[in-house]
Amino acid sequence: MQRVLLLGSGRTCPPLVELLTRDKCVQVTVASNDASQAESMARSYPNTTAKHFNLSPDSDLSQLIKDHDLVMSLVPTTLHTIVARQCIDAKTNLVTASYVSPELASLHDSAQEAGVVIMNECGLDPGIDHLLAMDCIDNVHKNNGKILYFESWCGGLPHSSFAGNPLRYKFSWSPAGVLIAACNPARYLKGGKVVEIPAGGGIMREVKPMSNGFSTSLPLEGYPNRDSLKYRDLYGIQEAETVIRGTLRYQGYCKSVLALLELGLLDNETMPRLQPDAADITWSDLLAMLLSRTEVRGSNLKESVLEALQGDKEKYQIIQDLGLLSSTPVSLAGTPLRALASHLETMLELGPDEYDTVLLQHIVGIENSNSTKEEHCITLHMDGDKNGDTAMSKLVGKTAAIAAKIILSGQYKRKGVQRPLTPDIYEPALKALQDEGVHYDISVKKM
């Protein structure tokens, strides 16, 4: 019996546990601070047990880890390094779906010495995007071709039928994570030149319309995501003169987020007035405070908000439609951003009969060994289940579970801090995903 310790019990976990426990030789322990979620999975899947465990920076996981053959960490990214250190001490392999942080990367040598693999970025983006990219890139290089440009666009969205709200968005993962990501800096390579975008909402101003050929009834827009430059080295495409990874949204999303930003609602600094022991406060009063006008009420508040939005009446309407000028109480979540995340999670969650959609596309310019040029377009479009798992949870959960199964099988031999970038993991992972009904199309156009 192979024993897997799953840390976390969020939305991506049920598809993960379902896939793992199809194998009667795999036993899963779900350890979570949400006992009801963990127990629900234990009741739903064979060979699954629940353990109430509140993971924190001071947690001692040694006994839990010692009793298992592999650990899967689907907890907040800030906790992965704590888990990884204890996995290294216990000589136990670890899988995460998150980006490799500098702190995690610093554990590479010690993980190698311990004979342990810390496999990261096994979700959708990052995750499936790596598998598809490297399958294409390695094939080009193997045939003595070169990559001229590489663009990757991905979005987890509500199906367009259910996006009729000011953000054109509903949450299929952490609302706070979505809002924080909108404030990240970014950089990419375009025509051989580095483009730098500062933190604090700069990427929302770099938005451009997208016509990717997806069958959505609403038009799309895209903006740069994080640091694209590092993928020249990670993907081995130093010859490429354009490298950009971006996020897809329905048109109107970025304008709405800029309105929130301009009013200070994406500030993630601790605010005394939003601490759990503070007195209740309404959204209109919080906006007045953020605009430094504590006596503002009624029409004066409207004037102040319009002034902060540079007179943009469409942005004002967005703020009003989101209920942020109302007397609704604010969740005392510590910071404006986290209070907003709590508000939007309730307001913009997928309804019982609604479902999400995931869009992923790589656009790769190729020069073949005979000097002919082609553009390869690799496209994945998947809808979630009505009254079932979201597409996002299925793609992240299944990819992580498949990575775990490959490592448990012993066929992946590398050690240290890794990503799924080599044929010994991306080839079996892509095959397993296709067996799970995750399909993608490849079109080729002569240039």
Side-chain angles (χ1 to χ4, degrees), residues 139-156:
N139 187 58
V140 171
H141 286 162
K142 185 169 61 178
N143 289 290
N144 300 315
K146 64 180 182 180
I147 304 299
L148 303 175
Y149 55 85
F150 177 86
E151 295 188 22
S152 177
W153 299 93
C154 186

Side-chain angles (χ1 to χ4, degrees), residues 124-125 128-129 132 152-160 172 210-221 246-251 356-362 378-384 391-392 395 439-440:
L124 167 65
D125 176 4
I128 294 175
D129 57 346
L132 294 173
S152 177
W153 299 93
C154 186
L157 301 162
H159 188 272
S160 52
S172 58
M210 303 295 293
S211 55
N212 298 54
F214 289 110
S215 56
T216 61
S217 59
L218 293 175
L220 297 165
E221 61 187 20
T247 298
L248 293 173
R249 293 287 185 260
Y250 295 126
Q251 284 184 21
D356 69 331
T357 192
V358 163
L359 312 173
L360 170 62
Q361 189 171 80
H362 294 330
I378 306 161
T379 304
L380 185 156
H381 184 177
M382 184 177 190
D383 290 339
M392 179 67 74
L395 290 170
H439 301 298
Y440 54 91

Side-chain angles (χ1 to χ4, degrees), residues 76 78 174-180 264-270 274 283 286 330-345:
T78 52
S174 161
V178 172
L179 297 175
I180 290 168
L265 289 165
L266 299 189
D267 184 352
N268 205 25
E269 294 294 319
T270 299
L274 291 177
W283 277 107
L286 177 60
V330 176
S331 172
L332 300 177
T335 73
L337 183 146
R338 293 192 179 278
L340 177 64
S342 178
H343 175 71
L344 294 180
E345 182 172 31

